[in-house]
Amino acid sequence: MQLLLLLIMILLPIIAQINVTSTFNKYSRVSNSRGLTADQVARMILDSNGLHHIQIEHISGNLSDHFDPQANVVRLSDSCYGLTSVAAIGVAAHECCHAWQHAENYTPIVLRSKLVPVTNLCSRLWYFVLLIGVFISSIAARAGMPFLYASIIMFAAVVVFQIVTLPCEFNASDRALKTLERDGILEMSEVPQAQKVLKAAALTYVASLVTSIIQLLRLLASARRR
């Protein structure tokens, strides 16, 4: 069973990443019928929701697109900015809908933002705390337990963050697809193509969460054995 769980932890994120890359590449070769670029669509969606103050920037990288709520900027990568593909437009619309979520104080996105500082700290430190606990436990078993449990609590905080992230991602994709269809940005035949791209991207978050939950269970089981 331990070997099976380990294989799932290793393979699931890899499969999800391969899926999102292949799906994006497939639909990055399909241009939208209106000839709109991803940054143009982003501006349209932001303006239609009264988010005129949100800027759009071009950044380097592939699928590194994101919304920065601190700077009020939607950043589109080389794989999206200035491109007319259905895949690029789907991703750009998704990121703009994160900005929309922040603007209306969508509960999961507000909670996620509040968890960011704690999660960043816990994600960086939990493994080091675990190693300290294992080292001390090798000398004096009970003395290392507080560190082991502290590392588990810290990792659990990361899992909670990932759980809160899921509704943010699914909701942003849902808003994006509805906007692309309602506003006639994509043709009816193109919307399902954008949907496949966004679904593949969402599944990477699901895979990450499943992997983290398995890791958390393994940590708890290891602590109980001690």
Side-chain angles (χ1 to χ4, degrees), residues 19 23 26-27 177 191-201:
N19 181 49
T23 304
K26 177 180 180 180
Y27 292 107
L177 293 168
V191 173
Q193 298 172 336
Q195 183 179 29
K196 289 179 181 179
V197 173
L198 296 183
K199 182 179 179 180

Side-chain angles (χ1 to χ4, degrees), residues 13-14 52 57 60 104 113 131 134-136 141 145 155 162 179-180 184 208 214 217 223:
I14 294 175
H52 307 284
E57 292 182 356
S60 60
E104 67 172 28
S113 297
L131 291 179
V134 171
F135 175 74
I136 295 176
M145 293 308 294
F155 190 77
Q162 291 176 316
T179 299
L180 293 174
S208 179
I214 293 174
L217 293 175

Side-chain angles (χ1 to χ4, degrees), residues 152-194:
I152 291 173
I153 292 171
M154 295 172 77
F155 190 77
V158 176
V159 174
V160 170
F161 179 80
Q162 291 176 316
I163 291 172
V164 173
T165 296
L166 280 187
C168 299
E169 296 301 323
F170 283 110
N171 178 265
S173 292
D174 185 57
R175 293 181 189 221
L177 293 168
K178 287 180 179 178
T179 299
L180 293 174
E181 181 178 350
R182 182 194 65 221
D183 294 352
I185 296 172
L186 293 181
E187 297 291 340
M188 290 295 294
S189 60
E190 296 168 341
V191 173
Q193 298 172 336

